[in-house]
Amino acid sequence: MSLTLDPAAQDLLFREAHTANTFTDEPVTEGQVQAIYDLIKYAPTAFNQSPLRVVLVRSAEARERLVPHMSEGNQAKTATAPLVAILAADNEFHEELPALFPHFPQAKDVFFSERAAREQAAALNASLQAGYFILGIRAAGLAAGPMTGFDPAGVQKEFLDDDHTPLIIVNIGKPGEDASFPRSPRLAYDQVVTTV
């Protein structure tokens, strides 16, 4: 069976895309980031809660604040990537639900009055949006270097507040020399999918 999506687009988004570890010095523009967001904002989330929040690290001063919180192996590439995005979950996303889920504005209080429920929902749904964010970067012809190797408490203290939980940090730009490792093996369909 063939897919509806053009094979070249399939390659761009999936088969030929790799995690980038080096980047050229070509800048990532605000317009590119806006275009990425305008595409990925349609990612599905429960109750349309849309809890993903993005902090763009552009300035040298902000970069100097971020790099010490990265794992040792992620510091150099984070220091030199054209743009770095901190992807975080907004644990107070429910305040936006009356506008985002207007046919059931009571969802804010019915399902998300407790902080623990909000934190769990925010982490899951913002992670789903983060996956779309990476696809959006690829759709823009850029490479993504997503990383979970960082000190979450340190990043939160430096860039966020107690209502926002950092989930993943993504280096963004045009891939540089020897940007990625060879493709690692993947599980086969029948190792993943079970029909019952």
Side-chain angles (χ1 to χ4, degrees):
M1 174 181 175
S2 64
L3 300 173
T4 302
L5 187 65
D6 179 80
Q10 295 173 37
D11 288 342
L12 177 71
L13 297 176
F14 299 100
R15 287 189 286 264
E16 299 300 324
H18 292 263
T19 295
N21 295 296
T22 67
F23 299 89
T24 70
D25 58 4
E26 183 178 333
V28 177
T29 69
E30 197 67 32
Q32 286 173 302
V33 178
Q34 179 73 52
I36 291 166
Y37 177 73
D38 286 342
L39 182 63
I40 66 100
K41 67 184 177 185
Y42 298 108
T45 57
F47 297 97
N48 197 35
Q49 62 190 243
S50 306
L52 181 70
R53 301 295 180 265
V54 181
V55 176
L56 298 177
V57 179
R58 284 194 184 276
S59 71
E61 179 271 332
R63 193 77 56 115
E64 288 174 7
R65 290 166 43 213
L66 175 62
V67 168
H69 299 291
M70 303 303 296
S71 299
E72 185 176 345
N74 292 333
Q75 290 182 354
K77 55 189 170 184
T78 302
T80 57
L83 181 64
V84 182
I86 301 170
L87 305 187
D90 181 359
N91 297 309
E92 297 298 310
F93 69 86
H94 68 306
E95 297 295 345
E96 305 292 339
L97 281 182
L100 292 174
F101 206 62
H103 54 283
F104 185 35
Q106 306 92 322
K108 171 188 173 195
D109 300 312
V110 172
F111 297 107
F112 302 111
S113 61
E114 299 294 325
R115 174 72 180 220
R118 291 197 305 275
E119 287 179 353
Q120 182 178 15
L124 176 62
N125 287 279
S127 295
L128 179 60
Q129 288 182 282
Y132 274 77
F133 187 81
I134 293 167
L135 286 176
I137 291 168
R138 293 172 175 179
L142 300 169
M147 302 167 290
T148 56
F150 64 92
D151 171 24
V155 170
Q156 182 180 39
K157 182 177 180 181
E158 195 69 45
F159 292 95
L160 303 165
D161 59 31
D162 290 342
D163 291 330
H164 295 82
T165 304
L167 300 173
I168 187 170
I169 296 177
V170 185
N171 292 329
I172 305 169
K174 291 284 188 181
E177 189 174 343
D178 298 322
S180 58
F181 301 117
R183 176 78 73 198
S184 295
R186 297 297 193 264
L187 294 174
Y189 177 84
D190 59 0
Q191 292 176 286
V192 176
V193 178
T194 302
T195 302
V196 294

